[in-house]
Amino acid sequence: MNTDSSSTATISTSSDNLRNRQAQFAKELYGKDIGTKSGMSALLSKNNDAQKEAVAKYLKHWDGKMDTEAEKRRLEDYNESTHSYYNVVTDFYEYGWGSSFHFSRFYKGENFQASVARHEHYLAYKADIQKDDLVLDVGCGIGGPAREICRFTGCNIIGLNNNDYQLAKATYYAKKFKLDDKLSFVKGDFMHMEFDPNTFDKVYAIEATVHAPTLEGVYGEIYKVLKPGGIFAVYEWVMTDKYDPSNPEHRKIAYEIELGDGIPKMYKKSVAVDALNKVGFQILESEDLADNDDEVPWYYPLTGEWKYVQTLSDLATFFRTSFLGRKVTTGLVTLLEKVGVAPAGSAQVTYALEEAAIGLVDGGREKLFTPMMLFVAKKPLEKTK
Ligand SMILES: CC(C)=CCC[C@@H](C)[C@H]1CC[C@H]2C3=C(CC[C@]12C)[C@@]1(C)CC[C@H](O)C[C@@H]1CC3
Ligand SMILES: C[S@@+](CC[C@H](N)C(=O)[O-])C[C@H]1O[C@@H](n2cnc3c(N)ncnc32)[C@H](O)[C@@H]1O
């Protein structure tokens, strides 16, 4: 009994320490008006020493080693490592992609923003989100999807995130767009949720739970906080059934995705299915939305192939995300870092993002990887396990 309570106290003290340290660090990195600047302007105003430390903390696990020991270290350090990853990539993401940090399908004639919003609406529809529902957004980024889903359905959303900088931005935008009566954002690790059990009507997660060291861990936490009868809908990042980890070409692609996207370990689809079942969910639907003959593939903005661009309004986004645009960004950031305008380590981040882009496109083309494995799962009314 004693041992139990003292170990619980030790765990919560150490997680409080981590939380305080991370919050303090974000303030050092971004200064007191944290969250109010965007993209390149935010990047250029970062503190040099703090940025150097954040880049080192992210990249220390990515030294090319693919053995089980290296993987174990990445899995153990998932929280700090992911936190550091988003401390250094968030401004690039916002500059290159916008405020929703996920992929989407594209229809002919549909522009980039419309496709991103439709992908979010589709998940809200699949999760059966209704007006005034209390909804949890697991790994909410800077709140792009939460703002869109709130406008689309009229629900109330709590966004959970372990990154202080993104939380500051999400909170700032909710206020700016007058959605702060419906949206709130809280700091927390999705592997150890602090909400009361059976709190939420619906839960969704968009391209976030892939950062978990184990899918069973994060799905188990979601199951706990969802009300009985509630729905969980997720776009999961997984390697497809075609992926063979013993094939060096396949493993190289998975490693590029892990490195460039700050993921401790990419799992296969079957691992996600087993994890959902094991924690008690009843899977209502599972579909790989990337497994189709779409004329415009989901990874097109990263290819640099002009033939896919759908509207003139997408030209700026397409240029920034394309191979050529990325080279221009890397060159400019390298120059700005050399003359002391961009913080130290920024160029290294652009190299890592380049690996991400290459791994994602190769994984997409070969159908070894999908960023949109849709699972719709229900927490049964009666306890089944
Ligand atoms: C990391 C996870 C689980 C999801 C994020 C998905 C995407 C939003 C990102 C994956 C790779 C990112 C890159 C960029 C934007 C956001 C992603 C597409 C850039 C285009 C941002 C601008 C840089 O100069 C190049 C980046 C390449 C990778
Ligand atoms: C690719 S972003 C997606 C963000 C958002 N869902 C969207 O689509 O814009 C992944 C998100 O998961 C969050 N995340 C990663 N690990 C986490 C953890 N252990 N606990 C809470 N959030 C986490 C990151 O901080 C980031 O906001």
Side-chain angles (χ1 to χ4, degrees):
M1 187 71 179
N2 260 346
T3 330
D4 277 348
S5 61
S6 71
S7 70
T8 312
T10 317
I11 290 168
S12 67
T13 315
S14 69
S15 73
D16 285 351
N17 284 344
L18 178 68
R19 181 189 294 256
N20 293 339
R21 237 183 331 108
Q22 289 182 339
Q24 184 54 36
F25 186 75
K27 282 198 194 121
E28 276 166 39
L29 189 59
Y30 282 98
K32 59 177 180 348
D33 52 353
I34 177 170
T36 57
K37 290 185 186 150
S38 290
M40 283 299 156
S41 134
L43 174 78
L44 298 182
S45 60
K46 282 168 98 172
N47 175 281
N48 202 56
D49 292 338
Q51 166 82 352
K52 217 164 122 187
E53 193 180 326
V55 174
K57 270 195 203 157
Y58 152 44
L59 286 175
K60 76 174 178 193
H61 290 304
W62 305 106
D63 49 8
K65 293 204 182 98
M66 296 188 206
D67 56 284
T68 41
E69 268 311 300
E71 189 173 279
K72 191 166 162 248
R73 282 195 295 275
R74 287 198 283 272
L75 290 165
E76 281 169 359
D77 195 31
Y78 74 93
N79 189 326
E80 269 286 70
S81 170
T82 316
H83 184 260
S84 304
Y85 174 75
Y86 283 105
N87 272 342
V88 299
V89 303
T90 298
D91 299 324
F92 285 106
Y93 272 33
E94 204 180 0
Y95 151 78
W97 207 256
S99 62
S100 287
F101 297 165
H102 62 78
F103 290 102
S104 50
R105 291 178 74 175
F106 295 98
Y107 286 92
K108 286 296 269 182
E110 184 182 43
N111 75 29
F112 183 84
Q113 287 308 332
S115 138
V116 168
R118 182 182 39 71
H119 201 63
E120 293 163 359
H121 298 166
Y122 190 64
L123 196 69
Y125 160 69
K126 287 289 172 189
D128 192 29
I129 295 177
Q130 302 293 325
K131 187 170 184 299
D132 296 331
D133 270 355
L134 180 60
V135 178
L136 177 66
D137 178 339
V138 180
C140 62
I142 61 170
R147 292 193 292 281
E148 188 61 39
I149 289 175
C150 170
R151 288 182 184 128
F152 181 60
T153 64
C155 69
N156 301 295
I157 303 179
I158 298 182
L160 175 70
N161 199 335
N162 70 343
N163 185 279
D164 304 86
Y165 176 54
Q166 293 194 342
L167 285 165
K169 290 194 81 76
T171 307
Y172 169 77
Y173 286 134
K175 210 165 175 188
K176 179 173 170 182
F177 296 113
K178 304 207 172 1
L179 291 168
D180 47 333
D181 58 330
K182 303 287 275 179
L183 301 181
S184 59
F185 298 94
V186 301
K187 164 105 175 167
D189 177 359
F190 55 40
M191 296 297 287
H192 303 282
M193 291 193 198
E194 290 166 25
F195 306 109
D196 287 337
N198 309 326
T199 297
F200 295 96
D201 298 303
K202 312 283 160 51
V203 178
Y204 70 86
I206 304 183
E207 303 190 19
T209 42
V210 65
H211 290 293
T214 69
L215 290 175
E216 208 179 305
V218 65
Y219 294 164
E221 290 295 289
I222 291 168
Y223 185 90
K224 179 184 80 184
V225 302
L226 190 57
K227 286 181 185 167
I231 306 277
F232 166 48
V234 56
Y235 289 133
E236 195 56 89
W237 274 34
V238 286
M239 303 311 289
T240 63
D241 293 338
K242 212 180 147 194
Y243 174 72
D244 171 8
S246 66
N247 176 326
E249 273 309 302
H250 290 195
R251 186 63 195 107
K252 178 175 170 286
I253 288 175
Y255 185 77
E256 279 166 351
I257 295 175
E258 291 167 350
L259 181 166
D261 296 290
I263 293 165
K265 182 176 164 71
M266 280 301 306
Y267 292 105
K268 283 186 79 158
K269 181 181 121 190
S270 56
V271 176
V273 173
D274 290 349
L276 284 167
N277 284 324
K278 191 141 181 224
V279 304
F281 276 115
Q282 182 190 349
I283 301 180
L284 304 179
E285 269 186 61
S286 70
E287 185 186 359
D288 177 1
L289 302 183
D291 191 14
N292 52 55
D293 297 322
D294 283 351
E295 271 182 75
V296 186
W298 62 265
Y299 48 82
Y300 105 80
L302 299 174
T303 61
E305 291 184 60
W306 294 93
K307 66 175 182 198
Y308 290 130
V309 179
Q310 295 301 303
T311 71
L312 282 179
S313 64
D314 286 344
L315 280 179
T317 301
F318 179 73
F319 179 72
R320 284 198 286 256
T321 57
S322 68
F323 182 72
L324 178 65
R326 299 195 307 260
K327 285 274 163 255
V328 170
T329 305
T330 300
L332 196 68
V333 169
T334 307
L335 181 72
L336 291 175
E337 188 179 326
K338 276 208 179 105
V339 297
V341 175
S346 303
Q348 251 180 307
V349 177
T350 64
Y351 306 144
L353 286 175
E354 188 54 32
E355 297 234 19
I358 292 169
L360 290 164
V361 172
D362 287 349
R365 282 196 212 280
E366 298 296 323
K367 290 208 187 292
L368 294 171
F369 160 79
T370 175
M372 47 187 83
M373 184 65 220
L374 169 73
F375 290 113
V376 184
K378 183 173 181 168
K379 176 170 174 173
L381 282 169
E382 303 281 317
K383 209 169 176 193
T384 53
K385 50 168 229 119

